[in-house]
Amino acid sequence: MGVFTYEEEVTSTLSAHRLFKAIAFETDVIVPKIAPHAIKSYELVEGDGGQGSIKKITFAQGSQFKYVKHKIDVLDKESFTYGYTIIEGDALMDTLEKISYETKFVPAPNGGCICKGTSKYYTKGDIELKEEEINAGKEKARGMFKGIEAYLLANPDAYKKGSIMGVLSFSDEFTCPVPAKKLFTALILDAANLIPKLIPQAVKSIETIEGNGGPGSITKMTVIEDGEVKYVKHRIDALNKENMTYSYTVIEGDVLAEKFESISFEIKLQGTPDGGCEGTTVGKYHPKAGVEIMEEEIKDRKDKASAVFKAVETYLIANPEAYA
């Protein structure tokens, strides 16, 4: 297998941060919009959109190729570096094992940036690439880059503060004076019984509608928002009583509305020397293609989850004999 490496630099009047964000996180939305004649869709087929994830790009009808899949190799928000490898698809033809691309967006003194790109073509056997084939690929990539740049310049509010596109992840840490095992039992294992009692104005009921309550089970929560009865279904992804870890994915319900494909959460508790506990929570919001999410919407969801936690914590502190 041979490896052919090519390097290229281009400049842009856009800032490194803005261009990196568009290339690394928003191509799924922008490219089908600006080049519908070339790209039909992007689809996340494995992972959460971060490093190691795999995406499938389907080309538009009439294109030379049908699809490719690429794996994200590098996603560094600090150095504005993004890299991926095409690992499957007819665009590799019978000559290439894979193609890898890596771009680093370097801030320039004028407020713009310098985009430093490296492409590596891994050929099968002793096959040698023709220069015209490489040039054709480079021209397509350059054209796509210029298209994205032009879109951002023409739509300066596309990434305004307060709006979010692409997968949004957040994590929080907290401490609690309640022992970890007791909190885990009340908040997770006995949630269906306890939470509707503590906050009946917000949660009407929680019931397991499929499975035995373990991983793979489906739970339906009926809630009250703005005086209306709504619901949400979530699938339990992990439930480990030993290390007190719990995760689930919201798969159906009003909370997803027309904006989200899914929402996933994970919580982990561990005891502290003072007899209380500390925990971490991780949430991931997967919006539907082309949908922008306002930060206020995410904050509202986090505040509601925090209210449930506080209600359980307050109850356990006031009733130390509970779940003893």
Side-chain angles (χ1 to χ4, degrees):
M1 179 173 67
V3 181
F4 297 82
T5 303
Y6 302 88
E7 296 183 349
E8 186 174 16
E9 287 190 11
V10 295
T11 60
S12 174
T13 56
L14 293 167
S15 70
H17 174 269
R18 190 176 188 196
L19 200 49
F20 167 78
K21 182 180 178 184
I23 297 294
F25 297 102
E26 315 304 341
T27 51
D28 303 22
V29 178
I30 296 176
V31 173
K33 184 182 296 185
I34 64 173
H37 58 284
I39 304 294
K40 180 180 179 181
S41 65
Y42 281 73
E43 177 186 359
L44 183 66
V45 296
E46 185 176 318
D48 59 4
Q51 193 165 309
S53 297
I54 296 176
K55 291 185 178 183
K56 178 181 179 181
I57 298 93
T58 302
F59 296 102
Q61 188 174 5
S63 296
Q64 180 183 2
F65 305 114
K66 293 182 178 179
Y67 82 98
V68 293
K69 287 183 180 179
H70 75 233
K71 182 180 70 176
I72 299 174
D73 302 315
V74 181
L75 185 58
D76 191 329
K77 299 178 184 178
E78 300 299 321
S79 65
F80 304 133
T81 303
Y82 178 65
Y84 64 91
T85 298
I86 296 177
I87 57 174
E88 182 184 319
D90 51 357
L92 293 174
M93 300 178 286
D94 295 321
T95 58
L96 297 166
E97 290 285 351
K98 60 183 179 180
I99 309 171
S100 65
Y101 300 93
E102 183 171 305
T103 304
K104 183 172 184 178
F105 302 88
V106 182
N110 64 355
C113 67
I114 302 169
C115 310
K116 299 183 177 182
T118 301
S119 305
K120 294 183 179 180
Y121 294 76
Y122 297 79
T123 59
K124 294 180 178 180
D126 297 326
I127 293 176
E128 290 193 15
L129 293 178
K130 297 179 180 178
E131 186 174 349
E132 54 266 29
E133 293 178 317
I134 299 299
N135 288 337
K138 290 168 68 175
E139 282 301 317
K140 288 180 181 179
R142 190 179 297 116
M144 196 64 70
F145 172 84
K146 288 298 181 182
I148 293 174
E149 181 186 43
Y151 174 83
L152 294 175
L153 290 171
N155 298 273
D157 294 330
Y159 300 95
K160 60 182 181 298
K161 184 178 180 181
S163 67
I164 303 164
M165 296 178 71
V167 179
L168 171 67
S169 300
F170 72 84
S171 61
D172 289 310
E173 297 181 355
F174 62 87
T175 59
C176 177
V178 177
K181 185 176 181 180
K182 180 180 288 191
L183 181 60
F184 190 79
T185 300
L187 184 63
I188 306 301
L189 303 181
D190 197 38
N193 174 60
L194 181 62
I195 292 176
K197 292 180 180 178
L198 296 182
I199 48 175
Q201 74 281 4
V203 179
K204 185 176 180 181
S205 65
I206 302 175
E207 57 182 321
T208 299
I209 59 175
E210 186 178 317
N212 60 4
S217 298
I218 307 294
T219 298
K220 178 180 179 181
M221 178 185 293
T222 303
V223 299
I224 302 172
E225 289 188 1
D226 301 323
E228 295 183 18
V229 177
K230 301 181 180 181
Y231 82 98
V232 61
K233 289 182 182 179
H234 69 241
R235 181 189 67 240
I236 298 174
D237 299 318
L239 176 60
N240 191 315
K241 300 177 184 179
E242 297 301 318
N243 65 12
M244 291 176 282
T245 301
Y246 176 69
S247 64
Y248 67 90
T249 298
V250 177
I251 57 173
E252 183 183 320
D254 301 284
V255 67
L256 296 177
E258 299 298 325
K259 296 186 175 183
F260 297 102
E261 290 288 353
S262 65
I263 305 172
S264 61
F265 295 97
E266 179 177 346
I267 181 170
K268 182 172 184 177
L269 303 176
Q270 62 180 14
T272 53
D274 61 3
C277 68
E278 59 186 14
T280 57
T281 59
V282 177
K284 294 181 180 180
Y285 291 77
H286 299 256
K288 293 183 178 180
V291 175
E292 291 188 66
I293 306 300
M294 300 306 295
E295 290 181 356
E296 290 80 4
E297 295 178 73
I298 302 300
K299 182 179 184 302
D300 180 60
R301 296 298 168 190
K302 291 172 66 177
D303 288 345
K304 288 178 179 177
S306 179
V308 173
F309 172 81
K310 285 298 181 182
V312 173
E313 179 187 48
T314 299
Y315 171 80
L316 294 175
I317 293 174
N319 298 274
E321 72 287 351
Y323 303 100

